[in-house]
Amino acid sequence: MHVCGCREVSEEYGREVTRLCEVLMKVLSASLGLEEARFQEAFGGAECGACLRANYYPRCPQPDLTLGLSAHSDPGVLTVLLADEHVRGLQVRRADGEWVTVQPVRDDAFIVNVGDQIQILSNSVYKSVEHRVIVNAKEERISLALFYNPKGDVPIAPAAELVRPDRPSLYPPMTFDEYRVYIRKNGPRGKAQLEGFKGQAVPGTGNK
């Protein structure tokens, strides 16, 4: 009975947060002067995918010697995080390189991370968020993350409307499946992998 209840609540939560992501897609598109549906269509329309994951970070007696999650940016479109309201652990890297602990404006607020696919499609107008997770010496921490991703086999490249002579296309076309394999093969390295192939083929994908 408890398992069934948990499943039903999780599925409903996933559906509602996915709808939120679809709304955010419209906002991001419009903010760049594009049609509201432009981003959603580029990522696969109704066939975009979502994955809900619960994260558990146990107490660590020496938190200065380890990380809950090393520095990286999320490879997909958006990540919507429901953070632990009692224990903070998510940090983002500012432009000056300093790591800052995220403090939501209210306990029930979502934290939304822009992913690599938004950076690619927007031709780097929007930047994906480099982040990491620290652990706590006294308290465990739990969070719930929904990853909103493109359809796996749709080639994604900077939107033509955002490419011009003074701002050429920065990224080669690639599918999300290709990009995800590349990232996993090379392991988390902050944003070095995304920045490293601007204007180049993605190694191992066959894109030129």
Side-chain angles (χ1 to χ4, degrees):
M1 182 175 183
H2 292 294
V3 173
C4 180
C6 180
R7 177 177 178 177
E8 291 171 351
V9 171
S10 298
E11 289 178 345
E12 181 180 4
Y13 177 86
R15 286 193 298 269
E16 293 302 319
V17 178
T18 296
R19 291 192 185 103
L20 172 62
C21 290
E22 292 168 352
V23 172
L24 292 175
M25 287 294 93
K26 295 179 181 179
V27 173
L28 291 171
S29 293
S31 71
L32 295 174
L34 307 177
E35 294 292 330
E36 283 191 351
R38 182 68 172 87
F39 270 29
Q40 189 73 47
E41 291 172 351
F43 291 133
E47 295 187 77
C48 287
C51 174
L52 183 62
R53 186 178 76 193
N55 302 308
Y56 171 70
Y57 303 97
R59 291 173 294 175
C60 178
Q62 295 179 293
D64 55 322
L65 299 181
T66 188
L67 288 170
L69 200 59
S70 57
H72 68 287
S73 56
D74 293 330
V77 176
L78 293 171
T79 301
V80 181
L81 182 72
L82 183 62
D84 193 312
E85 62 184 74
H86 302 294
V87 185
R88 304 305 183 198
L90 178 66
Q91 293 188 327
V92 297
R93 189 193 291 272
R94 300 195 320 186
D96 61 6
E98 181 182 356
W99 287 101
V100 179
T101 300
V102 176
Q103 301 287 352
V105 294
R106 45 189 284 180
D107 289 340
D108 59 351
F110 285 123
I111 298 170
V112 181
N113 284 343
V114 169
D116 291 347
Q117 300 305 309
I118 291 286
Q119 180 167 333
I120 292 168
L121 187 60
S122 71
N123 204 25
S124 205
V125 175
Y126 282 114
K127 304 294 194 296
S128 59
V129 179
E130 184 176 1
H131 56 285
R132 68 183 185 182
V133 177
I134 58 174
V135 291
N136 191 285
K138 297 181 179 179
E139 298 184 84
E140 59 189 13
R141 177 174 173 269
I142 297 173
S143 65
L144 196 60
L146 183 131
F147 300 92
Y148 189 70
N149 297 322
K151 187 172 184 288
D153 59 358
V154 175
I156 297 170
E161 303 94 321
L162 302 177
V163 175
R164 53 183 189 268
D166 63 332
R167 191 179 182 85
S169 177
L170 297 176
Y171 305 98
M174 72 198 86
T175 68
F176 181 57
D177 284 347
E178 291 172 334
Y179 184 73
R180 186 164 44 184
V181 167
Y182 171 67
I183 293 295
R184 288 178 176 174
K185 181 179 179 181
N186 290 278
R189 291 166 46 197
K191 291 190 63 175
Q193 297 184 67
L194 176 61
E195 298 299 330
F197 61 68
K198 281 184 176 179
Q200 303 179 32
V202 182
T205 67
N207 287 326
K208 300 182 187 275

